Amino acid sequence: MSPAGKITKHVFKTEETPAFLFLGIVSSEPDYRLSVMLNRHLGIDLRKKPEEIAEGSGEKTHFYSVFTTAPLTFSLISNRSMGGTLIRKLKNIDYLFHIHGTPDRKLAETLTAAVRDIPEVTAVFLFDSRDFSDKNIALLEL
């Protein structure tokens, strides 16, 4: 570029993902069994979505299963796929239980306690999406 040329910078502002709360669930159960346990224990109706969350490109694409309620209130999302992790900072968490709508900490804490009562669940953690800088956190917002 010539010394007289001027470089112009353009800044694109992107919409930030709205804040939401989600539970990190540790369980050795497969996703379909965990969804049935959550349905029975919480009195909800999680059903598998035909579309999965795809992350990556080419041969390194990983697919994560998604179970949702209708109307969209809760989502159960697998955090692991053959050699991949959706939210890398939470590599020890098996499933993400997304609570849709306005963040309600009291509801989230009640759900956390209820999920802990399921014998097949090893651990449950409550997270706020604002605490993560991972680019994949936006993928949880279905």
Side-chain angles (χ1 to χ4, degrees):
M1 177 167 242
S2 68
K6 191 174 183 182
I7 298 175
T8 305
K9 268 189 182 179
H10 295 280
V11 178
F12 296 101
K13 292 186 180 182
T14 59
E15 289 184 31
E16 291 192 25
T17 304
F20 59 89
L21 299 173
F22 65 97
L23 306 180
I25 300 174
V26 179
S27 177
S28 61
E29 295 295 324
D31 55 3
Y32 64 92
R33 291 220 31 209
L34 182 61
S35 70
V36 169
M37 289 178 220
L38 290 170
N39 286 344
R40 288 181 183 160
H41 204 75
L42 301 177
I44 60 177
D45 188 23
L46 289 168
R47 293 183 182 250
K48 186 160 176 45
K49 283 182 68 173
E51 310 89 37
E52 296 180 326
I53 294 176
E55 187 266 329
S57 62
E59 291 182 16
K60 294 194 176 205
T61 301
H62 298 285
F63 296 95
Y64 303 91
S65 63
V66 179
F67 291 76
T68 61
T69 58
L72 189 58
T73 309
F74 303 109
S75 297
L76 178 66
I77 303 160
S78 175
N79 192 41
R80 296 179 189 224
S81 176
M82 302 299 281
T85 305
L86 185 61
I87 308 297
R88 286 168 189 83
K89 193 172 187 180
L90 300 175
K91 65 182 180 185
N92 294 327
I93 301 294
D94 298 311
Y95 300 99
L96 308 168
F97 188 71
H98 181 192
I99 305 165
H100 296 275
T102 308
D104 181 354
R105 178 132 336 251
K106 188 169 175 94
L107 169 67
E109 289 171 354
T110 303
L111 285 170
T112 302
V115 173
R116 280 191 181 122
D117 289 341
I118 300 172
E120 291 82 6
V121 171
T122 307
V124 182
F125 303 96
L126 177 59
F127 298 108
D128 189 326
S129 65
R130 293 173 285 203
D131 296 337
F132 293 90
S133 60
D134 193 307
K135 65 180 172 77
N136 288 345
I137 202 76
L139 295 175
L140 299 182
E141 194 63 38
L142 305 170

